[in-house]
């Protein structure tokens, strides 16, 4: 096994320290009993209780989940359709324009995207609400789904579809019964990516959200501008814990699946 050099070891240590020490400090001070986040006043969990009694944060979190689920679902459907058209559609009139419109949000500044969507909603008379946030998040996240799914479709063995068609399946049934199950990991990955992007978005949501529809990132940003409160630390700690549990669970499931596949291959041999 190749050993890490001292330069690589120091670089990794400094990199991980830069990333995770602020998170550790935040987690520690989320259990601070005092109101000042930089002065330790004893261990306490009262700010977690205050957080769960804060209806503004709870409503914002519920709105964020609604937007993330709806927008990621719509983006996955539209992005998969766009990817299938790009990969399987061959050459057609407007293909270059179509692909450019799909991939434009990848390089477009979020400020421009949010402002253009705001002007569109004003022009058509659509009041800013949960609906406008969902439409905005669907617009910018479907391109990410399209990239993920199209990369899988490029390497897809089309002979499987052709075999299904030769056996009497219609193109729709061949896609539903053959293509979709094979590309399902890419579709799920695209949905998760769109879900994560929606949860994390602040700029576009700030343009398209209305007074009665506030997402959690907007609420946190507004609260931090007035000073970091212990409730923000508690909320951030909960979010970090959820992400950590999700990453660890996914890693364990992946290792278990690989181990099971290796056992199956050994039994087959």
């Amino acid at each position: 096994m190749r050993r890490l050099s001292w330069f690589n070891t120091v670089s990794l240590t400094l990199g991980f320290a830069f990333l995770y020490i602020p998170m550790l400090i935040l987690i520690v001070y989320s259990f601070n009993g005092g109101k000042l986040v930089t002065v330790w006043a004893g261990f306490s969990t009262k700010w977690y209780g205050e957080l769960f009694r804060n209806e503004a944060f709870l409503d914002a979190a519920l709105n964020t989940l609604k937007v993330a689920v709806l927008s990621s679902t719509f983006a996955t459907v539209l992005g998969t359709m766009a990817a299938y058209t790009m990969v399987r559609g061959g050459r057609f009139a407007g293909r270059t324009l179509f692909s450019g419109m799909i991939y434009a949000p990848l390089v477009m500044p979020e400020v421009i995207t949010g402002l253009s969507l705001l002007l569109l909603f004003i022009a058509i008379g659509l009041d800013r609400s949960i609906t406008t946030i969902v439409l905005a998040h669907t617009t910018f996240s479907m391109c990410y789904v399209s990239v993920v799914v199209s990369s899988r479709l490029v390497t897809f063995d089309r002979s499987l579809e052709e075999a299904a068609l030769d056996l009497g399946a219609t193109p729709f049934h061949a896609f539903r019964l053959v293509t979709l199950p094979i590309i399902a990991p890419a579709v799920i990955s695209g949905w998760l990516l769109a879900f994560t992007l929606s949860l994390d978005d602040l700029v576009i949501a700030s343009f398209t959200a209305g007074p009665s529809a506030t997402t959690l990132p907007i609420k946190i940003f507004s609260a931090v501008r007035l000073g970091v409160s212990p409730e923000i630390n508690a909320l951030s700690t909960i979010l970090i814990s959820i992400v950590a549990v999700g990453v660890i669970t996914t890693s364990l499931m992946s290792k278990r699946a690989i181990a099971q596949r290796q056992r199956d291959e050994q039994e087959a041999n």
Side-chain angles (χ1 to χ4, degrees):
M1 179 180 289
R2 186 176 179 182
R3 297 176 62 87
L4 291 175
S5 64
W6 66 269
F7 178 78
N8 291 335
T9 303
V10 173
S11 299
L12 285 174
T13 302
L14 292 177
F16 283 124
F18 180 79
L19 288 173
Y20 294 110
I21 286 180
M23 294 185 186
L24 292 176
I25 294 175
L26 183 147
I27 293 173
V28 170
Y29 276 97
S30 69
F31 297 98
N32 184 19
K35 291 185 177 181
L36 298 177
V37 295
T38 58
V39 179
W40 184 257
F43 181 86
S44 176
T45 58
K46 69 175 184 179
W47 298 113
Y48 288 88
E50 293 291 334
L51 175 64
F52 286 107
R53 287 190 292 269
N54 191 323
E55 294 185 1
F57 275 116
L58 294 179
D59 291 340
L62 183 60
N63 289 336
T64 302
L65 289 177
K66 289 180 180 178
V67 170
V69 172
L70 291 175
S71 63
S72 57
T73 301
F74 295 148
T76 301
V77 174
L78 296 175
T80 302
M81 293 171 60
Y84 192 85
T85 302
M86 289 295 299
V87 176
R88 300 293 178 82
R91 292 191 174 276
F92 55 88
R95 175 185 172 87
T96 303
L97 178 62
F98 180 71
S99 61
M101 293 177 66
I102 291 176
Y103 298 135
L106 289 171
V107 296
M108 189 75 67
E110 291 186 346
V111 174
I112 302 300
T113 303
L115 179 60
S116 61
L117 288 170
L118 172 62
L119 295 177
L120 173 64
F121 296 146
I122 293 175
I124 64 178
L126 184 61
D127 294 333
R128 287 179 291 171
S129 61
I130 293 292
T131 302
T132 56
I133 304 176
V134 170
L135 293 175
H137 284 190
T138 302
T139 301
F140 85 87
S141 60
M142 65 173 290
C143 61
Y144 293 91
V145 179
S146 178
V147 170
V148 174
V149 176
S150 61
S151 63
R152 179 65 185 91
L153 284 172
V154 168
T155 60
F156 182 80
D157 187 3
R158 298 191 65 175
S159 62
L160 299 174
E161 283 185 348
E162 294 172 355
L165 294 174
D166 291 339
L167 293 173
T170 63
F172 174 76
H173 285 90
F175 174 81
R176 183 174 64 88
L177 299 176
V178 178
T179 306
L180 187 58
I182 295 177
I183 67 172
V187 175
I188 295 173
S189 299
W191 189 92
L192 292 174
L193 179 59
F195 184 83
T196 303
L197 291 171
S198 178
L199 287 179
D200 186 59
D201 177 68
L202 171 64
V203 178
I204 295 178
S206 64
F207 280 97
T208 57
S212 61
T214 302
T215 61
L216 192 58
I218 297 176
K219 186 63 180 178
I220 293 175
F221 182 73
S222 301
V224 170
R225 291 178 64 183
L226 302 176
V228 180
S229 66
E231 291 183 20
I232 301 297
N233 289 343
L235 176 61
S236 301
T237 301
I238 293 174
L239 294 177
I240 292 172
S241 301
I242 293 174
V243 171
V245 170
V247 170
I248 293 173
T249 303
T250 303
S251 178
L252 293 176
M253 292 175 62
S254 177
K255 290 182 178 180
R256 182 175 299 178
I258 293 174
Q260 183 64 37
R261 190 180 304 115
Q262 292 176 349
R263 286 194 297 267
D264 293 340
E265 291 177 353
Q266 291 176 357
E267 293 176 358
N269 297 329

